Amino acid sequence: MTTEVTRTPSAYLDSAALAARPFDELGLTYEQTYVHLPEQLAAIDWLAARLPAQSRVLDIGSGTGRPTADLLAGVGHHVLGIDVSATMVDLARAQVPAARFEQVDVRTVAYSNGSWNAVCAFFPLLQMNRADLDSTLKRISDWLAPGGYFIFATVPFDAENTPIEWMGHNVTATSYPAEVYLERLRAAGLEILHDQLSTFHPDFPGMGAEEHLFIHARKPGGSAVPAHALAAPYPHPVDYRGPHELTQDGWLGLEARFQREDIAPVVDALAANQHVVDIGGGSGAVVAAITQRLGTCTTVEPHAARIEGMRTLLADGVTVLPGCAEQLPLADACADAAVATWMLHYTDDPRAAVTEMARVVDRTHPQAKVVLVQGSPDNELIGLWNRICAPLAGERPDHQGYLLALAAETLAAHGFQDIALHPVAVRVAFPEPGPQAKAEAAADALADFWHTGHARRDQLRVALLAPLAEHFATGADSLTDNGVMLIARPRRIR
């Protein structure tokens, strides 16, 4: 997208030069002082979890390109950074080649209405008068596509064109109290999803604590479930391939090899909840971790052998109920959260299972959420199964992104419209000595995991050997079984 610059009054040129001067002189010192601002990093992560794949993002006051443009371009979005400082633009172009940067004043640029999926503005609007500030906020709203997000941060105070000293430079600063910014953004047609005041202590000589205001806002409209990179590849299948089979013996043969970094993020997502329902308790690893954090958990499991295996957890505060995901033996709105990890591809009807999860969660609870984990597009195990095993077994390929999108659509239809996707890591370790021994062990474990009792189990094992030997010949000692954590909440407009 090309930036069009309107005719620039000389007053704008003068004020832009004044605004640029401290940043031209500070250069990388500014980045070193503010690049690790926790609330800004959290806001970028929040946005990335919700943006459609390959979104168009405008970063106003892009500075050195870090962290905003760097992180968003790094996950595949098309980022344009604009800044009044020539030094900042030069640094950003050198540091973040995946994004574009232009030296322009936000007051004088012209973009088409609805042209950006997101606009970020981390502290760039402090050196303009209130008339220009109000106008800029309104124009940003116009630039957003329906469903687009505005991530805004500033220093809230009640003054206009006030001389202050900042990072060793004399500047004039303008702002509003926090509640006025919320009013201005609502008046511009945006929904306030989140606002937070925080205190930051810059590590720079002579600087005291700063109060910061962070706002996440959204333009109404747009798709409730936009296409996300973590639900790739697209296009999705038009229907469900049907469930995978999973035997207890096949699972136990692989479970000891898992190095799971997906459980901690799930438990962290549930840390503020009190009544959690887990669907498909399996070995009990996730249930045990939730119970250790919260003191209690209810799990629903259809297989008698796995129910028996979880019996030792009963004394720790776990309730185990027999039942299937498509018809949970629970009352409506009996929990404040429901979680299911690596479960949907074993169900007969994933849409019905997700509908049941939505049913048992009380949407009026302030911490209401549904948490799901399914496979990611870079999952090596699923890639092997699709490439090698599916054709031999006469089955349709697996598509975990389809399941994530189906779950998201179903949850949105039941009032859980704030949907975020986060990558989580899982590895399957093969410590056997040498590539061939690793390949043999992996072929055995995977053939049993996927196809215990299958008439072609041995043929499938043999077919896996060559690609596994090639993989381990690179020096790898594991296969990735990476996932995507979907968190769905009711959207609460502030």
Side-chain angles (χ1 to χ4, degrees):
M1 180 174 296
T2 302
T3 298
E4 296 182 12
V5 180
T6 60
R7 291 187 63 185
T8 306
S10 59
Y12 278 3
L13 292 173
D14 292 343
S15 62
L18 287 172
R21 186 175 301 160
F23 295 96
D24 284 337
E25 295 178 11
L26 286 166
L28 285 174
T29 301
Y30 175 76
E31 176 184 308
Q32 292 158 2
T33 304
Y34 287 94
V35 71
H36 297 301
L37 187 60
E39 291 81 7
Q40 180 172 354
L41 296 174
I44 296 167
D45 180 67
W46 184 95
L47 177 63
R50 290 161 175 80
L51 277 181
Q54 299 185 350
S55 283
R56 303 178 306 279
V57 181
L58 178 65
D59 182 15
I60 300 172
S62 49
T64 66
R66 294 175 176 166
T68 307
D70 188 27
L71 292 174
L72 292 174
V75 292
H77 299 302
H78 305 294
V79 182
L80 171 62
I82 60 173
D83 203 292
V84 294
S85 165
T87 296
M88 289 295 173
V89 170
D90 289 343
L91 286 168
R93 287 171 175 167
Q95 295 191 136
V96 190
R100 294 192 302 115
F101 299 92
E102 297 178 358
Q103 184 188 358
V104 292
D105 186 335
V106 69
R107 297 171 298 175
T108 65
V109 296
Y111 299 114
S112 301
N113 288 356
S115 55
W116 298 100
N117 299 110
V119 176
C120 298
F122 291 104
F123 307 101
L125 309 185
L126 287 159
Q127 294 192 77
M128 58 177 69
N129 61 43
R130 283 181 168 173
D132 288 340
L133 175 54
D134 292 347
S135 173
T136 299
L137 293 175
K138 178 62 173 68
R139 292 167 72 226
I140 288 170
S141 177
D142 293 339
W143 295 340
L144 284 172
Y149 293 100
F150 179 39
I151 308 299
F152 178 58
T154 191
V155 179
F157 56 88
D158 190 6
E160 182 175 19
N161 295 331
T162 299
I164 63 170
E165 183 178 335
W166 174 79
M167 294 192 76
H169 291 79
N170 294 318
V171 300
T172 58
T174 294
S175 192
Y176 288 116
E179 61 272 15
V180 176
Y181 280 111
L182 301 180
E183 293 169 3
R184 290 290 193 275
L185 292 176
R186 289 192 186 102
L190 300 179
E191 302 169 339
I192 306 300
L193 304 179
H194 170 82
D195 60 279
Q196 175 185 1
L197 287 168
S198 61
T199 302
F200 179 65
H201 298 268
D203 185 12
F204 189 87
M207 288 189 67
E210 295 179 348
E211 183 178 48
H212 291 168
L213 171 65
F214 285 83
I215 298 174
H216 305 169
R218 180 180 180 273
K219 189 167 186 175
S223 171
V225 188
H228 195 286
L230 288 176
Y234 292 92
H236 286 170
V238 296
D239 59 6
Y240 180 41
R241 68 171 296 280
H244 287 273
E245 296 296 328
L246 179 63
T247 66
Q248 183 75 349
D249 290 342
W251 169 257
L252 292 176
L254 200 63
E255 183 182 24
R257 296 180 179 271
F258 279 122
Q259 297 178 350
R260 299 188 62 173
E261 298 177 28
D262 61 321
I263 296 178
V266 168
V267 175
D268 288 345
L270 299 168
N273 292 98
Q274 296 177 315
H275 304 290
V276 176
V277 173
D278 170 89
I279 293 89
S283 68
V286 175
V287 175
I290 294 171
T291 305
Q292 185 176 9
R293 176 72 71 92
L294 303 183
T296 184
C297 182
T298 297
T299 183
V300 178
E301 171 57 52
H303 299 288
R306 292 174 203 150
I307 292 174
E308 186 64 29
M310 285 189 286
R311 194 167 296 280
T312 57
L313 299 175
L314 298 179
D316 298 326
V318 176
T319 299
V320 182
L321 301 176
C324 69
E326 294 91 340
Q327 194 171 358
L328 296 174
L330 296 163
D332 294 355
C334 64
D336 54 35
V339 59
T341 59
W342 306 94
M343 180 275 293
L344 289 182
H345 52 296
Y346 296 120
T347 64
D348 293 321
D349 187 341
R351 189 181 298 277
V354 175
T355 299
E356 280 289 272
M357 295 178 73
R359 177 183 67 81
V360 301
V361 174
D362 178 5
R363 281 187 294 153
T364 67
H365 193 280
Q367 292 297 328
K369 62 178 70 77
V370 174
V371 181
L372 291 160
V373 176
Q374 292 295 141
S376 71
D378 65 348
N379 186 301
E380 291 176 339
L381 261 63
I382 295 170
L384 270 174
W385 191 88
N386 283 343
R387 192 170 74 251
I388 306 299
C389 298
L392 282 173
E395 297 186 29
R396 288 172 56 185
D398 193 0
H399 199 305
Q400 296 282 301
Y402 166 83
L403 291 173
L404 286 164
L406 182 150
E409 291 166 3
T410 304
L411 289 165
H414 287 82
F416 292 83
Q417 294 182 322
D418 180 9
I419 294 167
L421 300 180
H422 303 271
V424 291
V426 181
R427 296 195 315 135
V428 187
F430 294 94
E432 286 77 7
Q436 191 59 37
K438 294 179 191 296
E440 295 276 355
D444 276 328
L446 294 177
D448 285 338
F449 179 59
W450 289 324
H451 297 294
T452 297
H454 194 283
R456 292 190 173 181
R457 184 268 181 202
D458 292 340
Q459 184 181 356
L460 292 163
R461 176 194 174 279
V462 171
L464 286 166
L465 277 172
L468 286 168
E470 182 178 349
H471 172 79
F472 290 117
T474 65
D477 60 1
S478 65
L479 291 159
T480 66
D481 192 23
N482 291 337
V484 177
M485 179 174 65
L486 180 155
I487 305 176
R489 303 175 177 87
R491 181 171 290 142
R492 306 193 189 282
I493 308 302
R494 295 195 179 192

